[in-house]
Amino acid sequence: ELQQKVEETEVLKMELQMLETERVRLSLVEEKLMDVLQLLQQLRDLNISKRALGKILLSTLESCRDPQPGKAQLLEVLDTLQQELAACELLHKQPVEQAQSPQSLSSPLVISC
């Protein structure tokens, strides 16, 4: 009976460790998702075109088509999307430039990401 209790304890420890690992993974996904959503909000506030956002998303999905071994595909897609959004030139323009040409922000020809 004591041996059975020891085995049950070991099983519970393993399950707890797996749950903790999953919790950490989900925390990382949540953090990355929040970063992506913040970047999307910033780009929306800057009136980025739907075409430019579509190109960013398609570029992300294309680069993540073949998942890298050992890396969770969801996290890889979120990482890549965050990098693509953060690299968008519109986010790096100075506010003075944006204030001077508000009409040019809605033109998909002017925006290059």
Side-chain angles (χ1 to χ4, degrees), residues 40-96:
L40 285 171
Q41 181 69 41
Q42 288 174 353
L43 289 171
R44 188 188 77 172
D45 292 346
L46 295 172
N47 295 323
I48 190 171
S49 71
K50 291 178 183 177
R51 172 176 276 164
L53 280 175
K55 286 181 180 180
I56 291 170
L57 182 58
L58 289 174
S59 172
T60 298
L61 294 174
E62 181 67 28
S63 67
C64 295
R65 186 184 319 184
D66 300 321
Q68 296 176 0
K71 190 169 186 181
Q73 188 171 9
L74 176 62
L75 196 54
E76 180 184 352
V77 170
L78 285 175
D79 278 340
T80 305
L81 182 57
Q82 180 192 19
Q83 291 168 7
E84 293 276 341
L85 290 171
C88 184
E89 291 176 12
L90 191 58
L91 286 175
H92 302 290
K93 290 186 185 257
Q94 296 177 4
V96 174

Side-chain angles (χ1 to χ4, degrees), residues 2-80:
L2 183 60
Q3 181 65 25
Q4 184 181 3
K5 293 289 185 187
V6 168
E7 290 173 3
E8 287 176 5
T9 303
E10 289 300 316
V11 168
L12 288 174
K13 283 181 182 178
M14 286 177 35
E15 287 178 359
L16 182 61
Q17 186 177 11
M18 289 183 343
L19 285 173
E20 182 62 21
T21 301
E22 185 65 12
R23 187 193 66 77
V24 169
R25 187 188 71 79
L26 288 174
S27 292
L28 291 171
V29 168
E30 180 184 25
E31 183 179 311
K32 193 60 68 174
L33 187 57
M34 290 301 293
D35 291 344
V36 166
L37 290 174
Q38 285 177 332
L39 287 168
L40 285 171
Q41 181 69 41
Q42 288 174 353
L43 289 171
R44 188 188 77 172
D45 292 346
L46 295 172
N47 295 323
I48 190 171
S49 71
K50 291 178 183 177
R51 172 176 276 164
L53 280 175
K55 286 181 180 180
I56 291 170
L57 182 58
L58 289 174
S59 172
T60 298
L61 294 174
E62 181 67 28
S63 67
C64 295
R65 186 184 319 184
D66 300 321
Q68 296 176 0
K71 190 169 186 181
Q73 188 171 9
L74 176 62
L75 196 54
E76 180 184 352
V77 170
L78 285 175
D79 278 340
T80 305

